[in-house]
Amino acid sequence: MGTRAVDPQSIRNVTIVGEPAETTRVVRRLLRVRGATPAATMVHQVPGRGEYTIRVAELSSHAPIAELERAIRVADGAIVVLNAATARAPRFETILRVADDHQVARLCLVTGLDHPAADFDRCVRAIAETRGARPLPLHLPLGAGPGFDGVIDLVPMWALEPMAAEFYGSRWQLAEQWYRYLVTAVTDQDGEAPDGGPGPRKIPADQLHDRISSVTRIGEAVPVLCDAARHGGDNAALLDAIVRYLPSPMLVCQPEHALDY
């Protein structure tokens, strides 16, 4: 049986780090298996972009500091899992700071949005208060706690107009505010519409993805996604974010990084 060559640019080596129960749940769901392993591989097809090989490793935030630092340092990219119902996650700031120190690109995945104590804004503030970690929310949760009912994906949201504006009502106005912040953060330009009309300046989704990728890979921003898998969502949003925003081994500068774990 022959072997298939894999383009190194299509590889993503990702370490998922956070509370053990949360990270295990995310990894198991991504791999669609009943048990998790220390490192596993999946193939993800991105429409129009081809096939990507994503290698996933799981890391507990309860690990000794030295182990945490080493595992994050050698990762090509990291996904930090943060539960929206937790007032203060142990070592969350440490994880983000270690990633920043070693120039490791990272995403944040907010889980537990259906918990009565969930607070998405608190999670965003926690990231903002950490050195070197500018939050870049890409999702807007629709409600919180028992009222949580999915998310608005901010990047392509203008393709949904005007039907979505009518469907989401007042939530759409809030989405416009978050979208304006996103555009301003990744373009260093005012997010207002150039003609001074209502609503923020609109940017094609592909261009916005490219700008988010650029600021993420150089460590200027941390994209923030909401986990909506239990509410009709799927894994595609997280897998697409891994492919779009986290670097391949070929783009990682540290000599410790390799094509494989």
Side-chain angles (χ1 to χ4, degrees):
M1 182 181 296
T3 58
R4 181 175 61 89
V6 177
D7 179 2
Q9 295 285 7
S10 71
I11 295 174
R12 298 293 185 271
N13 293 326
V14 180
T15 296
I16 300 180
V17 56
E19 287 289 298
E22 294 291 334
T23 57
T24 297
R25 188 177 300 114
V26 172
V27 170
R28 286 179 176 175
R29 194 178 71 237
L30 288 178
L31 299 175
R32 292 186 173 89
V33 295
R34 299 184 64 182
T37 58
T41 302
M42 75 194 79
V43 175
H44 179 55
Q45 187 78 29
V46 180
R49 299 188 61 175
E51 196 172 85
Y52 287 79
T53 300
I54 301 175
R55 299 187 178 119
V56 177
E58 185 179 348
L59 178 64
S60 169
S61 59
H62 294 182
I65 292 294
E67 181 180 336
L68 270 175
E69 181 164 0
R70 179 190 176 281
I72 294 171
R73 173 170 56 86
V74 301
D76 292 344
I79 298 175
V80 185
V81 181
L82 181 61
N83 192 307
T86 303
R88 191 172 185 84
R91 296 189 176 175
F92 174 72
E93 294 180 1
T94 300
I95 292 167
L96 288 182
R97 285 172 178 159
V98 168
D100 184 59
D101 287 341
H102 296 285
Q103 298 180 327
V104 176
R106 59 270 191 206
L107 309 175
C108 278
L109 178 66
V110 179
T111 64
L113 287 162
D114 56 351
H115 191 280
D119 188 337
F120 178 73
D121 291 342
R122 179 176 59 204
C123 295
V124 174
R125 288 194 302 272
I127 300 168
E129 292 168 359
T130 304
R131 170 181 55 82
R134 181 181 187 180
L136 202 62
L138 305 186
H139 290 165
L140 174 68
L142 295 173
F148 177 64
D149 190 30
V151 303
I152 295 179
D153 188 345
L154 296 179
V155 175
M157 73 181 213
W158 292 116
L160 304 175
E161 280 194 309
M163 180 176 60
E166 180 178 350
F167 178 77
Y168 290 118
S170 61
R171 291 171 172 173
W172 187 256
Q173 297 176 5
L174 182 59
E176 284 187 339
Q177 297 175 18
W178 280 104
Y179 183 87
R180 183 180 290 112
Y181 168 80
L182 174 61
V183 169
T184 301
V186 300
T187 64
D188 294 324
Q189 299 178 23
D190 193 331
E192 298 290 344
D195 60 0
R201 185 162 59 93
K202 304 171 186 178
I203 295 181
D206 287 346
Q207 292 183 23
L208 202 46
H209 284 310
D210 289 343
R211 289 301 304 155
I212 296 168
S213 175
S214 296
V215 296
T216 301
R217 291 177 180 179
I218 63 176
E220 287 188 359
V222 181
V224 182
L225 289 81
C226 296
D227 182 15
R230 300 184 189 178
H231 296 266
D234 56 25
N235 298 321
L238 178 56
L239 293 171
D240 287 348
I242 291 171
V243 168
R244 286 186 173 118
Y245 309 133
L246 296 183
S248 75
M250 304 299 290
L251 297 178
V252 177
C253 299
Q254 291 93 325
E256 297 92 341
H257 293 259
L259 297 183
D260 209 341
Y261 278 109

